[in-house]
């Protein structure tokens, strides 16, 4: 298939592009290479895949409507995987307009181009942060998610609503994927595990929010990518079990579906830090702090739909994933 991957220089986009190429697909990668974090890491990721004969890269911003439309017109994509977005909960408190531009305006341009060019399946990244103030765990895609606690989460919920509308109006098959705390080699430098590793090696104190009691469903990158690949090949259809009298948010009478992709085993932050310490052989100097605005105390994915529909359940233990990350970090930075 010919597949467009937006955010191809990003963490998930980089791994997904590699996987799709290994399966014999043609991949067109798009990224604006913005400076939200170290651009050299993005270009280093890209250099790993740009030599592949079936990979083509376009430096392009989702907000450039004309160029996006031109890209779709010049390439007859079978599938679109939209991973490009302004990421980060905390940054959304500082620069909210970046989230409106990329996550709303940019996503709108993707939807319009998918509609105009008869895309067979749009798969897009949502986030576990859409669960917001929900306290019922594990988080199920059938739960109401109308109480986000960050603008980032609100834009991801908006993506799900926008995609559903296009699915309903134009019969565009859409699948949204709520990723749960993705980690691994080549990861994002603004993520906690990356910051912890850097600070511990530099013998600097680390900030541990919610006094280390935060629980996260840490999900290794290979599990995320396996889930995405399986979902790409599982195109949603109109679901006759959906009822407007008792509407399930995860399905629809339109060709639309939402999945969680998470490890289904939340880990307390303090244990996660201990795992990093064990892999590094160095104890961290911990600065215990209260929870930050926009953060939620726990994330925990119900992945039953993923297991039932595509036969996959993420299962990489944090001990395995963190060791791989630490080994990569030392090799890349030292």
């Amino acid at each position: 298939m010919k597949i467009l991957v937006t955010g191809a220089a990003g963490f998930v986009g980089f791994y997904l592009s590699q996987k799709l190429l290994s399966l014999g697909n043609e991949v067109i990668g798009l990224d604006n290479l913005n400076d939200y974090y170290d651009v050299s890491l993005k270009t280093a990721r890209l250099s790993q895949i740009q030599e592949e004969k079936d990979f083509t890269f376009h430096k392009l911003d989702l907000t450039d409507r004309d160029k996006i439309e031109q890209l779709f017109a010049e390439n007859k994509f079978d599938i679109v995987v939209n991973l490009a977005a302004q990421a980060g909960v905390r940054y959304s408190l500082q620069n909210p307009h970046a989230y409106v531009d990329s996550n709303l305006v940019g996503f709108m341009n993707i939807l319009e181009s998918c509609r105009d060019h008869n895309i067979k399946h749009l798969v897009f990244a949502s986030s576990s942060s859409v669960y917001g103030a929900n306290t019922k765990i594990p988080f199920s895609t059938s739960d109401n998610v109308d109480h986000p606690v960050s603008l980032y989460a609100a834009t991801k919920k908006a993506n799900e609503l926008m995609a559903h509308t296009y699915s309903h109006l134009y019969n565009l098959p859409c699948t949204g994927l709520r990723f749960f705390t993705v980690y691994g080699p080549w990861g994002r430098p603004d993520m906690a595990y990356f910051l912890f590793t850097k600070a511990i090696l530099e013998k600097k104190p680390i900030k541990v929010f919610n006094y280390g009691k935060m629980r996260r469903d840490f999900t290794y990158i290979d599990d995320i990518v396996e889930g995405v690949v399986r979902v790409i090949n599982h195109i949603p259809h109109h679901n006759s079990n959906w009822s407007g009298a008792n509407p399930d948010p995860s399905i629809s009478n339109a060709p639309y579906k939402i999945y969680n992709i998470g490890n289904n085993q939340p880990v307390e932050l303090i244990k996660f830090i201990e795992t990093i310490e064990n892999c590094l052989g160095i104890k961290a100097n911990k600065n215990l702090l209260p929870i930050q605005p926009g953060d939620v105390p726990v994330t925990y994915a119900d992945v039953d739909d993923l297991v039932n529909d595509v036969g996959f359940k993420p299962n990489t233990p944090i001990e395995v994933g963190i060791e791989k990350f630490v080994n990569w970090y030392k090799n890349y930075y030292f």
Side-chain angles (χ1 to χ4, degrees):
M1 293 187 292
K2 192 172 193 178
I3 302 175
L4 172 65
V5 176
T6 74
F11 180 27
V12 179
F14 159 65
Y15 275 95
L16 179 64
S17 296
Q18 284 185 315
K19 180 71 171 179
L20 292 172
L21 288 165
S22 75
L23 295 172
N25 299 289
E26 181 182 354
V27 175
I28 287 77
L30 176 158
D31 205 292
N32 66 359
L33 298 175
N34 69 22
D35 61 359
Y36 168 63
Y37 62 79
D38 184 10
V39 177
S40 68
L41 183 61
K42 298 179 182 183
T43 56
R45 293 185 190 125
L46 269 181
S47 69
Q48 304 284 308
I49 48 177
Q50 277 188 298
E51 299 305 314
E52 298 281 346
K53 66 179 179 64
D54 290 324
F55 180 80
T56 308
F57 178 71
H58 294 267
K59 186 181 178 185
L60 190 57
D61 198 295
L62 291 189
T63 59
D64 191 333
R65 187 197 311 176
D66 292 340
K67 291 263 180 74
I68 293 293
E69 171 58 29
Q70 183 182 348
L71 182 70
F72 273 76
E74 291 173 354
N75 297 272
K76 296 193 183 304
F77 299 122
D78 298 300
I79 306 289
V80 173
V81 183
N82 185 63
L83 302 173
Q86 179 56 60
V89 168
R90 288 163 199 156
Y91 188 61
S92 69
L93 302 175
Q94 303 163 29
N95 190 359
H97 293 287
Y99 292 77
V100 173
D101 292 343
S102 181
N103 301 6
L104 299 181
V105 175
F107 191 61
M108 181 68 197
N109 291 338
I110 289 291
L111 285 170
E112 272 289 281
S113 292
C114 286
R115 171 174 80 95
D116 290 342
H117 296 279
N118 299 311
I119 299 302
K120 296 173 185 173
H121 191 189
L122 168 63
V123 178
F124 65 95
S126 184
S127 167
S128 61
S129 29
V130 300
Y131 290 103
N134 289 18
T135 56
K136 173 185 153 289
I137 55 174
F139 294 151
S140 168
T141 53
S142 296
D143 296 337
N144 177 288
V145 288
D146 285 339
H147 298 88
V149 294
S150 69
L151 181 66
Y152 169 67
T155 63
K156 287 300 187 178
K157 168 66 190 268
N159 285 171
E160 295 180 2
L161 297 174
M162 294 162 73
H164 182 269
T165 302
Y166 270 66
S167 180
H168 169 76
L169 290 174
Y170 307 116
N171 206 35
L172 172 67
C174 293
T175 302
L177 303 175
R178 294 174 180 170
F179 297 150
F180 280 68
T181 317
V182 191
Y183 75 101
W186 295 100
R188 275 179 26 216
D190 62 316
M191 296 292 284
Y193 70 96
F194 207 112
L195 296 170
F196 291 158
T197 301
K198 183 176 188 292
I200 293 169
L201 285 168
E202 294 173 356
K203 296 183 169 49
K204 294 178 180 177
I206 63 173
K207 294 179 180 179
V208 183
F209 293 102
N210 200 27
Y211 309 103
K213 295 176 182 175
M214 207 94 77
R215 294 168 67 218
R216 287 287 178 270
D217 213 345
F218 295 102
T219 313
Y220 189 62
I221 183 62
D222 289 356
D223 288 335
I224 291 286
V225 168
E226 182 64 26
V228 176
V229 169
R230 294 200 187 202
V231 164
I232 285 173
N233 295 309
H234 187 80
I235 299 176
H237 300 284
H238 303 265
N239 194 317
S240 59
N241 293 324
W242 188 86
S243 165
N246 185 24
D248 181 339
S250 73
I251 59 174
S252 177
N253 57 0
Y256 173 87
K257 181 71 176 124
I258 296 289
Y259 292 103
N260 288 332
I261 305 186
N263 209 46
N264 192 232
Q265 290 184 339
V267 174
E268 199 166 71
L269 184 59
I270 207 75
K271 184 188 175 186
F272 193 71
I273 293 168
E274 287 170 2
T275 306
I276 296 173
E277 291 174 324
N278 292 338
C279 289
L280 290 172
I282 307 171
K283 282 290 180 185
N285 178 7
K286 304 175 189 73
N287 183 11
L288 302 178
L289 298 167
I291 196 168
Q292 291 192 113
D295 274 350
V296 296
V298 60
T299 64
Y300 181 3
D302 178 334
V303 293
D304 287 353
D305 281 358
L306 189 70
V307 174
N308 292 336
D309 289 358
V310 301
F312 176 67
K313 182 178 182 180
N315 58 11
T316 304
I318 59 163
E319 293 80 6
V320 173
I322 285 296
E323 183 178 17
K324 289 182 178 180
F325 167 74
V326 166
N327 289 340
W328 168 83
Y329 186 95
K330 288 179 175 178
N331 184 60
Y332 184 79
Y333 287 103
F334 293 95

